[in-house]
């Protein structure tokens, strides 16, 4: 009798141990699936953010127009402004005028061109727009982040069959723009954009 009861108790204990092991294994599997699913969602959202940023840049740069502009009262001599650390950028800083801003029937109080800026600030690739090519005295563009965790932002310009880092002739647009950014997760990313109204 005592042996039978002891054996039954051992079986119950073994069953509890086995169930605990299975429960722990099941929890780890479910936890792993949830973690992987969360990582996939996060990576997908990040990838969509990157695609959207490059889509915006592709639209802006491809539709750049050779329209001279004034900035805070300066004379209109440039169609493109570019420089390292320009516009308080921690990388490349660039400004130009782009077309393609719809104004059906000229009903809105603006033209069909907009002034655009890009810069890198606090690990954010930032963009600013203004509904007119010329800005008023004292105006400062309001930048908005379009892509974050960016550690480097560089621009190359297509000229005479090759790429150059600086664009000296501010009277004309380059035939192409090469965007180079580095991020903490994707590393180096390049995007080449054809400028329709540029010098080819």
């Amino acid at each position: 009798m005592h042996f039978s009861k002891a054996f039954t108790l051992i079986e119950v204990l073994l069953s509890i141990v086995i169930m605990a092991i299975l429960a722990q294994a099941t929890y780890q599997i479910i936890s792993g699936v949830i973690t992987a699913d969360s990582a996939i969602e996060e990576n997908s959202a990040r990838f969509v953010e990157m695609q959207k940023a490059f889509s915006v840049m592709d639209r802006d740069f491809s539709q750049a127009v050779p329209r001279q502009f004034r900035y805070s009262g300066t004379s209109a001599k440039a169609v493109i402004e570019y420089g390292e650390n320009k516009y308080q950028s921690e990388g490349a800083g660039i400004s130009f005028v782009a077309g393609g801003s719809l104004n059906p029937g000229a009903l809105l109080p603006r033209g069909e061109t907009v002034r655009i800026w890009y810069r890198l600030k606090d690990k954010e690739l930032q963009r600013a727009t203004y509904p007119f090519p010329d800005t008023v005295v004292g105006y400062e563009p309001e930048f908005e982040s379009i892509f974050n965790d960016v550690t480097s932002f560089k621009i190359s310009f297509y000229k005479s069959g090759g790429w150059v880092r600086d664009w000296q002739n501010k009277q004309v647009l380059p035939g192409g723009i090469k965007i180079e950014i580095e991020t903490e997760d994707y590393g180096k990313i390049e995007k080449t954009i054809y400028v329709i109204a540029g010098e080819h």
Side-chain angles (χ1 to χ4, degrees), residues 51-93:
Q51 282 189 315
K52 185 184 290 186
F54 277 110
S55 177
V56 170
M57 287 190 287
D58 190 294
R59 183 193 64 210
D60 287 344
F61 283 102
S62 66
Q63 296 184 5
V65 294
R67 165 45 161 100
Q68 294 184 350
F69 52 78
R70 295 181 178 84
Y71 182 64
S72 293
T74 60
S75 58
K77 295 181 179 179
V79 300
I80 183 171
E81 286 282 354
Y82 168 80
E84 289 294 315
N85 309 121
K86 199 169 186 66
Y87 309 117
Q88 300 179 342
S89 177
E90 293 160 3

Side-chain angles (χ1 to χ4, degrees), residues 158-178:
Y158 186 77
K159 178 183 180 181
S160 303
W163 294 96
V164 295
R165 279 291 184 193
D166 196 13
W167 190 250
Q168 298 289 342
N169 190 353
K170 297 179 180 180
Q171 305 291 315
V172 297
L173 294 170
I177 298 283
K178 184 188 292 183

